[in-house]
Amino acid sequence: MARPGLSAAVLLLLLGFLSVSSVHADTLLSAPLNVTIREIEGNSAIVTWEILEGDPVIGFAITQQKKDVRMLRFIQEVNTTTRSCALWDLDEDTEYIVHVQSISMGGSSPASEPVLFRTPKESEKMASKSPDEVTMEEFGQAAQLRAGELIIIVVVLIMWAGVIVLFCRQYDIIKDNEPNNNKDKAKNSSECSTPEHPQGGLLRSNV
């Protein structure tokens, strides 16, 4: 015959086990899905992922590791619903492995499947860019250069116009003074010339 005290103890242990199992089931998260690396540059990249609908996710944790290197970088953020994160200070032409975990009030989810990617060399990035591809920064720089060139051209044209106007005024002044100069020259030449005798020779006085 079972003792009443022993049966009560077993019942309490069973209830406790069931409650712990229920809490554990409620807080268990699924690993993030569709982890993808986008916008890979020589020194940066962006990792994105998805979660199962209904998971009580309040944040994320990312582990970043160089391939064949044991040192890890750990990134964690809570109180957020974002599904992306920027990776920075990467080395060019280097392979990296990334895992993503979801965070809830009860703990963290299992790590996602590892994602391997390689950062390009800067020279490869420039070579892969189409000649017709222009970034906003390059467009802004080109616009500034064109604006500066236009300003210089306008200033030069204004200076040339001023020089031409000044030359025309000086030419008009010289042209207006030219008849007066001719009259003065003719007058001076007539005053300085020696008068001739009607019969030729110079006049002499009789003694």
Side-chain angles (χ1 to χ4, degrees), residues 5-193:
L6 183 60
S7 299
V10 172
L11 183 59
L12 288 174
L13 288 175
L14 182 60
L15 290 174
F17 176 77
L18 291 175
S19 63
V20 170
S21 299
S22 178
V23 172
H24 181 70
D26 291 339
T27 58
L28 184 63
L29 296 176
S30 301
L33 306 173
N34 299 327
V35 179
T36 307
I37 307 298
R38 305 177 185 274
E39 301 182 22
I40 303 175
E41 302 287 344
N43 304 108
S44 65
I46 295 178
V47 55
T48 62
W49 63 91
E50 298 176 359
I51 62 172
L52 290 179
E53 186 177 356
D55 281 354
V57 176
I58 63 169
F60 64 86
I62 295 175
T63 55
Q64 168 193 318
Q65 177 185 7
K66 288 184 181 180
K67 187 179 180 182
D68 302 327
V69 177
R70 299 181 64 180
M71 186 173 61
L72 297 174
R73 172 186 283 178
F74 187 72
I75 304 171
Q76 179 174 314
E77 187 173 346
V78 294
N79 298 326
T80 180
T81 58
T82 183
R83 301 292 178 261
S84 65
C85 179
L87 307 177
W88 65 95
D89 289 342
L90 306 181
D91 295 332
E92 296 180 6
D93 195 22
T94 304
E95 290 185 320
Y96 287 90
I97 300 173
V98 171
H99 297 83
V100 183
Q101 291 176 279
S102 296
I103 299 176
S104 69
M105 295 296 293
S108 301
S109 73
S112 65
E113 292 294 326
V115 177
L116 177 67
F117 71 97
R118 185 183 72 87
T119 55
K121 291 182 180 178
E122 196 64 29
S123 57
E124 294 177 356
K125 187 69 177 178
M126 296 299 295
S128 63
K129 184 183 292 188
S130 171
D132 298 331
E133 182 181 355
V134 179
T135 62
M136 292 300 295
E137 183 177 357
E138 292 172 347
F139 180 78
Q141 292 177 353
Q144 290 179 357
L145 289 175
R146 285 195 293 269
E149 293 173 355
L150 288 175
I151 292 173
I152 293 174
I153 292 173
V154 170
V155 171
V156 171
L157 290 176
I158 292 174
M159 292 177 62
W160 272 107
V163 171
I164 292 172
V165 170
L166 181 62
F167 175 79
C168 292
R169 289 181 178 178
Q170 293 293 331
Y171 178 77
D172 291 340
I173 293 173
I174 295 172
K175 190 175 180 181
D176 291 340
N177 291 335
E178 187 173 342
N180 296 329
N181 292 334
N182 292 335
K183 292 178 180 179
D184 293 340
K185 288 180 181 179
K187 183 178 180 180
N188 293 333
S189 60
S190 61
E191 289 177 353
C192 295
S193 60

